[in-house]
Amino acid sequence: MSPTIKAPLLPNQEPSLSSSESHGSFAGAVFNISTSIVGAGIMSIPAAFKVLGVIPSLSIIVIIAWLSNVSAGFLMKSTLVGESTTYAGVMKDSFGKPGAVAVTIVSMVVTFGSMIIFSIIIGDVLSGNEKDGIVHLGLLQEWFGSHWWNTRFFGLLFIFVFLFFPLVLCRRVERLALSSAISFLLALLFVVISSVLAIVAIVQGKTKTPRLFPDLNDGGLSFFSLFTASPVIVTAFTFHFNVHPVGFELKDPLDVLSATRVSVILCATIYSATGLFCYLLFGDSTMTDVLMNFDQSTNSSIGSLLNDIVRVSYAIHLMLVFPLLNFSLRANLDELLFPMKRSLVEDNKRFFGLTFPLLISCFLGAIAIPDIWYFFQFLGSTSTVTIAFIFPAAIVLRNVNGFSTLREKIVASVMLVLAVATSIIAISTNIYTFTATEEI
């Protein structure tokens, strides 16, 4: 039996409310967590397949999915044996105030970085981008021609003002369950259409020959480049910043572990299918944002229509995921800046004072940053690996409440060593690659 939760994350509801209004549903929790997982990361999974090869990519997806589920369990178990109800609270119990501040800052970096990545991809879909001297037209240019109003700046400005702003005004995460469900179904539509296009290409003999294993003919640098692709998959499975907000809106917070398990299995299946089928479709021409590959012209109107549906459906998916990440970012920033203040949902001045600057900063970041691949590598090898694996493992090993079993300590130790070692190699390789490119 789990310990009694003494400090709810959100303000208590009035006694007159029914249980369905007071607590979130299990289905809503599954959709919210699944939507937190299947974000922009799926767009770079096919590129990871190109770098790693099919078999290592599928293996890494399974391993990271399992580790993500285990680390989420670590977090909730350590939460329920103490008195905290947030990720930062658990870190404070284990490592004092510095631990709480550290996890809050890292969570903010992950969520804010992810929101910028989402916005970059949406900008690519709507207004196109240029990669290696090749111009990829966006949907707005293809449909209406090139005009000032469908440039990247104005396209994103419209989305931020008329879509993102109303959605980020939601003050309870459960109210985003419907948009999360729609978003997740759109992600499934993307996977289904990509799979159909790949199967048709297989039947017609037009698929590319995939590499089962990575190409290491270039020597040591090629080997170490494998460690820069792995963080992309780590980033795609980072949802831990939303485990507590979702869990403590359920009647029994432990139910979030079952919801997490279901979500991780669903998302691992989606990632595997997307990576494999898109890699079959585009081969070595697979781009870091695979949606840009779908601007290719086809020999049939049906093929062109499917390409447009793929891009539109996933762009809408990201638009609906955005407010879920904003919810976590705003809550963490409020906890960092105003730890002793009353609940954010009850303070309009503070609520809007945080919401507007975050939205504006994200918009400016999306305009300034052109490519998502390096952003994914940076997040995956630093902040996401920290929040998904390093912090949960450290909490288990610290074991301030005496809840950790021997098996959990062994798993946490392995998780910690793998996370730190992979992160160091990935960061070193990224720095070396960037330096070599600058010298050329």
Side-chain angles (χ1 to χ4, degrees):
M1 182 175 179
S2 62
T4 302
I5 304 303
K6 300 180 180 179
L9 179 64
L10 297 170
N12 293 327
Q13 304 295 323
E14 294 299 325
S16 59
L17 292 177
S18 66
S19 62
S20 62
E21 294 174 319
S22 301
H23 302 290
S25 65
F26 181 81
V30 170
F31 280 123
N32 279 331
I33 293 175
S34 298
T35 304
S36 299
I37 300 174
V38 183
I42 194 173
M43 293 298 98
S44 288
I45 292 293
F49 270 67
K50 181 180 72 172
V51 174
L52 297 170
V54 173
I55 294 178
S57 296
L58 293 175
S59 301
I60 291 175
I61 287 175
V62 171
I63 293 171
I64 293 179
W66 177 74
L67 288 175
S68 296
N69 181 62
V70 170
S71 61
F74 287 165
L75 281 178
M76 286 306 295
K77 183 177 179 180
S78 59
T79 299
L80 295 177
V81 297
E83 298 185 358
S84 60
T85 57
T86 64
Y87 198 155
V90 177
M91 284 292 289
K92 185 176 181 180
D93 291 343
S94 297
F95 300 100
K97 188 175 180 179
V101 172
V103 75
T104 301
I105 293 175
V106 172
S107 297
M108 289 165 53
V109 171
V110 171
T111 49
F112 186 65
S114 298
M115 288 162 62
I116 291 177
I117 290 173
F118 286 14
S119 304
I120 293 172
I121 294 176
I122 292 169
D124 289 345
V125 171
L126 295 179
S127 303
N129 203 344
E130 182 176 345
K131 179 73 173 177
D132 298 328
I134 301 175
V135 176
H136 296 267
L137 295 178
L139 289 172
L140 296 179
Q141 284 93 350
E142 291 181 3
W143 293 345
F144 305 107
S146 296
H147 302 281
W148 65 268
W149 54 267
N150 59 19
T151 58
R152 189 182 194 87
F153 179 89
F154 287 101
L156 281 177
L157 181 63
F158 180 88
I159 295 299
F160 269 76
V161 172
F162 294 101
L163 181 63
F164 286 167
F165 178 65
L167 288 175
V168 300
L169 295 181
C170 290
R171 303 197 183 199
R172 292 192 74 240
V173 71
E174 173 63 18
R175 292 178 181 174
L176 297 172
L178 178 59
S179 64
S180 294
I182 296 172
S183 175
F184 189 71
L185 293 175
L186 288 171
L188 288 179
L189 178 63
F190 166 78
V191 175
V192 169
I193 294 177
S194 301
S195 303
V196 169
L197 291 174
I199 292 171
V200 170
I202 291 173
V203 173
Q204 295 177 345
K206 296 181 179 179
T207 55
K208 313 296 182 181
T209 302
R211 286 195 300 270
L212 297 181
F213 295 95
D215 182 7
L216 300 178
N217 292 331
D218 293 336
L221 184 58
S222 294
F223 172 75
F224 287 109
S225 68
L226 304 182
F227 292 90
T228 66
S230 299
V232 173
I233 301 178
V234 173
T235 303
F237 274 103
T238 302
F239 59 92
H240 300 69
F241 44 79
N242 270 334
V243 169
H244 290 87
V246 172
F248 282 100
E249 286 191 356
L250 298 174
K251 186 175 182 180
D252 182 358
L254 275 178
D255 288 343
V256 77
L257 298 183
S258 299
T260 297
R261 193 174 302 112
V262 172
S263 298
V264 166
I265 292 173
L266 284 174
C267 295
T269 303
I270 290 174
Y271 284 159
S272 299
T274 301
L276 179 60
F277 285 125
C278 288
Y279 184 36
L280 285 173
L281 272 176
F282 306 116
D284 287 337
S285 63
T286 302
M287 304 194 69
T288 55
D289 177 2
V290 77
L291 284 182
M292 295 173 66
N293 285 105
F294 285 94
D295 75 334
Q296 299 176 1
S297 60
T298 60
N299 297 325
S300 67
S301 57
I302 294 179
S304 299
L305 176 63
L306 289 177
N307 282 346
D308 286 351
I309 291 176
V310 165
R311 290 191 284 171
V312 169
S313 64
Y314 211 81
I316 296 175
H317 162 76
L318 294 180
M319 294 174 190
L320 295 177
V321 178
F322 187 95
L324 195 63
L325 296 182
N326 178 82
F327 184 94
S328 175
L329 174 61
R330 185 173 53 205
N332 280 316
L333 183 59
D334 180 67
E335 186 172 0
L336 180 65
L337 298 179
F338 310 105
M340 305 304 295
K341 296 287 186 177
R342 61 175 177 163
S343 173
L344 180 63
V345 299
E346 299 176 350
D347 190 329
N348 289 331
K349 184 177 180 180
R350 212 164 82 245
F351 181 84
F352 288 105
L354 293 175
T355 299
F356 281 113
L358 290 177
L359 210 57
I360 293 171
S361 300
C362 186
F363 171 76
L364 296 177
I367 296 298
I369 301 172
D371 196 338
I372 65 172
W373 182 253
Y374 295 109
F375 217 120
F376 270 129
Q377 289 181 352
F378 169 76
L379 286 178
S381 58
T382 55
S383 52
T384 56
V385 73
T386 300
I387 199 169
F389 303 127
I390 293 178
F391 283 166
I395 290 171
V396 171
L397 295 175
R398 181 75 168 175
N399 197 24
V400 292
N401 291 313
F403 72 92
S404 303
T405 65
L406 178 60
R407 178 181 178 276
E408 289 171 339
K409 289 182 178 180
I410 293 174
V411 172
S413 299
V414 173
M415 182 186 297
L416 186 62
V417 171
L418 288 176
V420 172
T422 303
S423 180
I424 292 174
I425 295 174
I427 293 172
S428 303
T429 304
N430 282 332
I431 294 174
Y432 177 81
T433 303
F434 179 77
T435 304
T437 302
E438 288 294 312
E439 291 177 352
I440 294 175

